[in-house]
Amino acid sequence: MPLPEAQFCEALRALGHVDRLDFVRECLKDEKAAGELAARSTLSLATVSEHLKVLRKSGMLRLNRDGRFWRYRTDQATLTAVGKAILELGEL
């Protein structure tokens, strides 16, 4: 199913920040809690949470409940759809 243009633009905007791109990569490897992502970066937990909010809104990350924690994971279907939409730009 093709990615709606508005969602495609939102995903590109979300991926256009180096820290958010790093979070998507980290969550692609394994589910991560916000605190884990903050510990791996130089950003405060509040700033990491704001970046994660942008990524959730764009559909790039999903939240899973794991006991007391919320863990983030990359939405592979959205990531694949964005990649496919980028490739289709050359066909215009």
Side-chain angles (χ1 to χ4, degrees), residues 51-67:
H51 284 306
L52 294 173
K53 181 179 175 181
V54 170
L55 290 165
R56 282 193 331 267
K57 183 179 176 189
S58 73
M60 297 304 299
L61 291 184
R62 299 282 179 228
L63 267 175
N64 288 328
R65 181 83 173 182
D66 182 17

Side-chain angles (χ1 to χ4, degrees), residues 10-39:
E10 186 74 20
L12 289 179
R13 185 181 75 77
L15 293 173
H17 189 285
V18 67
D19 292 312
R20 289 193 293 256
L21 185 58
D22 187 48
F23 296 151
V24 169
R25 283 188 189 119
E26 286 297 317
C27 293
L28 189 58
K29 297 175 194 172
D30 192 21
E31 290 186 348
K32 302 274 194 258
E36 291 175 285
L37 294 168

Side-chain angles (χ1 to χ4, degrees), residues 38-78:
R40 298 176 76 107
S41 77
T42 59
L43 305 174
S44 70
L45 181 57
T47 301
V48 169
S49 292
E50 286 300 314
H51 284 306
L52 294 173
K53 181 179 175 181
V54 170
L55 290 165
R56 282 193 331 267
K57 183 179 176 189
S58 73
M60 297 304 299
L61 291 184
R62 299 282 179 228
L63 267 175
N64 288 328
R65 181 83 173 182
D66 182 17
R68 305 179 344 193
F69 299 99
W70 287 97
R71 298 201 174 273
Y72 293 86
R73 67 174 172 82
T74 301
D75 186 309
Q76 297 242 357
T78 301

Side-chain angles (χ1 to χ4, degrees), residues 1-9 11 58 60 77-78 80-83 85 88:
M1 176 177 206
L3 195 64
E5 191 169 296
Q7 187 179 1
F8 175 63
C9 291
S58 73
M60 297 304 299
T78 301
T80 299
V82 169
E88 290 172 355

